Structures are given as C-alpha cells and as structure tokens.
C-alpha cells in the first residue's frame, strides 16, 4: 500500500468511527434527539453532541495524530525504530509543568495547567536547541534527552512529595495518566495548531530525512545542512509532544507504534511515512478512547494507561528484534 492509499483508508475509517462514536455516552439518545441536535445545536441533545462528544472524539484523534507525526519524525531523524516523541524529554517537561500548576492550586483556573505544560515543554526545547546549535550529533542528543527526562522525573517525584493534599496528588496522577474526557473545542484547536505547525515545517525536512538513511557523511556531501535538519526536527517534535500533553496529559507509546504500523503496510521512506502515521496514530487513540467507554468497569481506565498496556509489549518486541539484528550483524 502506498502512503496516499493508507491515508485514504484511515481517513475513511476515522470518519465512520467519528459518526459511530457520537452514539456513545452516559445519556442515551434516540433518532429524534440526533435530528434535533442537527437543527437546534442549542438544545440539550445538541449540547451533548456538539459540546461534549464531538470535541472529545476530535481531541482523541488530534492527540494521536500529533504523536504519530512526532514519532515518525523522531524515528526518521534518529534512524532508530525505538525512537518516540518522549525521547528528548519534552513530554516529561510538559508533564512537570502541568503538575507544578496543579500543586500551586491553578487546576481550576482556565488554561493555567495547559499553559504551564507548554511553558515547561518550551523550556526543555530551548535547552535542546541550544545543544543542537553546537553539537548536532544524534547520539549525544539522545543522551541529553535521557538526562532531561530523568531530571524532570526526579522533579516530578519531588512535586508529588510536596503535594499539599491527597486530592492534589490524585489530580496530578490523573493528568499524568492521560485522558480526553471533558475536553472542549479550544482543546481540539490546540491539536489543529500543532498539526498546522507540522504541516508548515515537514516539507523542508523531506530531503534531509531521506538522505540521512544513507548516513550523515553522505547526506552532508549531498548538501544537507545537518544542524538545520536537527533543529527543525527538534522544534517539530517538541511542539507536537508539548501540545499533546497540554491537551490530554501523557499518552504513551502511540508515537512509537503508529509509524511501525504504517511501515508494516509497506511504507519505508521516512518522509512518506509521516502523514500516514498521523492518520494511524489518530485512529489508534480514537479507538483506545472508545474502548475505555465500552469496557464494563466501575472506574474509567485512563487513556495513557490503556495505550501503554498495548504499547509496552510492542516496545519489548521491537527491542528484541533490534537486538537480534545487531547480534547477527556482529557475529
């Protein structure tokens, strides 16, 4: 399957799913209610459809699409099938920012948590960009990302330790486990913003990502500015990862799994992989969120928990396959 066909298939599946998922919710609606919602958006049925269910579904798709794009760019730039958006510590930084805002009592202030998450993800991104300006090496960038993730994780543990009440701790934990429940059109707008930024930057990455598959020296000899490619990749991944955390909290492994799923369908070119990964990631998160609403449990399972339960075994499988290839090539 080529990339355009994959996008068309996932686009159709997403459209059909969005229509079907409008029927899922705590309130049962009949055909007359849906007809009323179309003609009278201000009615009770209209409020349920247009202000609760549709924004939630669009946020789920948008978050998955951002993570899919970020994961495809990360795997293309680092030339590592185990790379994912959190590899540079941006997601951990955004989570830390959200946690600090909640501890400071800003959880009920509109947009305070989201803005704090974006500010901290931006701070981590600036550190990485400063590093890339001097050392555009992929391996050292990975090491920096691991270090920043560890630092943010340690600070997160400190925030938990200093949490003023169990309620605040539970609120932070809920945010870190990820969810698109009770999201609004403004949250969906953040996802559109992230994908819009990516759409502007991705065309400039095409040549660089493709030639990097031949090696850095070959890419440099063919006119690729490695610092520019590194900086644009970092900015794109950072914006998408930061906005995904701001919209839905931490949703793990989607950025890892979506590009591999598309790659398994026959798309190998790192540039052609990007937008199909967006559709695949969006569809995956949309289905995960619908599964949460369908599971017969007394308590809702968080979105990030479900995606991690599915993604973690995939990560182990990929690591095992990579180890076999590495061992086989060195024997």
């Amino acid at each position: 399957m080529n990339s355009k066909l994959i996008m068309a298939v996932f686009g159709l599946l997403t459209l059909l799913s969005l229509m079907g998922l409008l029927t899922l919710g705590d309130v049962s609606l009949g055909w007359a209610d849906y007809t009323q919602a179309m003609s009278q958006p201000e009615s009770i049925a209209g409020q349920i459809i247009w202000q609760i269910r549709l924004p939630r579904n669009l946020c789920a798709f948008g978050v998955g699409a951002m993570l899919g794009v970020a994961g495809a760019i990360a795997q293309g730039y680092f030339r590592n099938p185990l790379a994912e958006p959190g590899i540079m510590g941006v997601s951990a930084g955004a989570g830390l920012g959200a946690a600090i805002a909640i501890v400071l009592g800003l959880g009920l202030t509109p947009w305070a948590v989201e803005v704090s998450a974006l500010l901290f993800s931006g701070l981590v991104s600036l550190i990485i960009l400063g590093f890339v300006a001097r050392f555009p090496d992929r391996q050292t960038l990975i090491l920096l990302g691991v270090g920043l993730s560890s630092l943010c994780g340690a600070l997160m543990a400190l925030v938990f330790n200093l949490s003023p009440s169990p309620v605040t701790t539970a609120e932070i934990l809920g945010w870190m486990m990820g969810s698109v429940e009770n999201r609004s059109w403004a949250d969906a707008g953040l996802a559109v913003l992230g994908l819009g930024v990516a759409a502007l930057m991705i065309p400039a990455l095409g040549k660089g990502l493709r030639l990097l598959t031949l090696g850095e020296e070959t890419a440099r000899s063919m006119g690729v500015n490695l610092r520019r490619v590194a900086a644009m990749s970092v900015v794109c991944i950072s914006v998408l990862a930061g906005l995904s955390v701001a919209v839905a909290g931490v949703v793990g492994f989607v950025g890892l799994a979506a590009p591999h799923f598309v790659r398994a369908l026959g798309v190998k070119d790192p540039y052609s992989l990007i937008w199909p990964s967006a559709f695949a990631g969006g569809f995956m998160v949309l289905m995960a969120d619908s599964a949460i609403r369908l599971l017969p449990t007394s308590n809702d399972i968080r979105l990030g928990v479900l995606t991690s339960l599915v993604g973690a075994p995939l990560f182990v499988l990929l690591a095992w396959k990579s180890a076999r290839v590495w061992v086989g090539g060195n024997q």
Side-chain angles (χ1 to χ4, degrees):
M1 296 176 69
N2 60 43
S3 59
K4 291 183 179 179
L5 179 58
I6 291 173
M7 286 190 288
V9 171
F10 276 115
L12 179 60
L13 288 174
T14 298
L15 181 60
L16 294 175
S17 300
L18 286 172
M19 294 172 62
L21 290 174
L22 291 179
T23 64
L24 282 183
D26 295 332
V27 178
S28 179
L29 298 177
W31 179 251
D33 295 315
Y34 291 106
T35 303
Q36 183 185 41
M38 296 300 109
S39 60
Q40 303 176 35
E42 71 282 354
S43 64
I44 299 298
Q47 292 289 320
I48 292 172
I49 295 295
W50 296 106
Q51 302 302 324
I52 298 176
R53 294 182 182 178
L54 187 57
R56 173 174 180 164
N57 294 332
L58 292 177
C59 282
F61 179 82
V63 167
M66 288 193 291
L67 292 173
V69 170
I73 294 174
Q75 291 177 18
Y77 173 69
F78 291 107
R79 285 183 289 156
N80 189 330
L82 301 180
E84 53 97 25
I87 196 171
M88 293 186 304
V90 178
S91 297
L96 175 63
I100 290 175
I102 293 171
V103 165
L104 293 177
L106 301 176
L108 297 179
T109 303
W111 293 102
V113 176
E114 290 86 348
V115 169
S116 182
L118 290 175
L119 287 176
F120 274 76
S121 67
L123 177 61
V124 173
S125 301
L126 289 175
I127 295 173
I128 296 171
L129 286 172
F131 185 87
V132 167
R134 297 193 61 186
F135 311 104
D137 180 71
R138 292 176 299 106
Q139 274 67 35
T140 53
L141 184 56
I142 291 175
L143 292 175
L144 175 66
V146 171
L148 290 173
S149 293
S150 299
L151 175 61
C152 291
L155 292 174
M156 178 68 72
L158 180 62
V159 169
F160 270 107
N161 191 51
L162 298 177
S163 177
S165 69
V167 174
T168 302
T169 302
E171 189 175 353
I172 296 173
L173 188 59
W175 183 273
M176 297 307 297
M177 289 192 294
S179 175
V180 289
E181 189 177 3
N182 299 323
R183 294 306 186 263
S184 65
W185 284 102
D187 294 304
L190 285 181
V192 173
L193 174 64
L195 293 171
V197 171
L200 293 175
M201 300 184 66
I202 285 172
L205 288 172
K207 179 182 177 181
L209 291 180
R210 283 171 172 154
L211 291 179
L212 275 174
T213 60
L214 303 175
E216 290 185 1
E217 292 302 323
T218 302
R220 187 182 288 109
S221 68
M222 298 183 73
V224 175
N225 186 329
L226 296 182
R227 279 188 169 83
R228 181 171 178 269
V229 172
M232 293 188 69
S233 298
V234 167
V235 169
C236 206
I237 294 170
S238 299
V239 169
L240 293 168
L243 284 173
S244 70
V245 175
V247 172
V250 180
V251 180
F253 289 102
V254 175
L256 172 70
H260 280 282
F261 187 57
V262 175
R263 204 175 283 118
L265 294 175
V267 180
K268 306 298 182 184
D269 175 52
Y271 179 68
S272 301
L273 186 76
I274 294 175
W275 287 115
S277 297
F279 281 84
F283 183 70
M284 289 168 61
V285 176
L286 189 62
M287 291 297 97
D289 185 55
S290 65
I292 289 171
R293 287 184 275 177
L294 289 172
L295 288 174
T297 57
S298 57
N299 296 319
D300 284 342
I301 297 176
R302 290 286 179 168
L303 181 61
V305 174
L306 184 60
T307 57
S308 295
L309 284 173
V310 175
L314 174 64
F315 187 87
V316 172
L317 178 62
L318 292 173
W320 179 69
K321 287 186 175 181
S322 298
R324 288 188 62 187
V325 171
W326 185 84
V327 171
N330 286 275
Q331 285 180 344

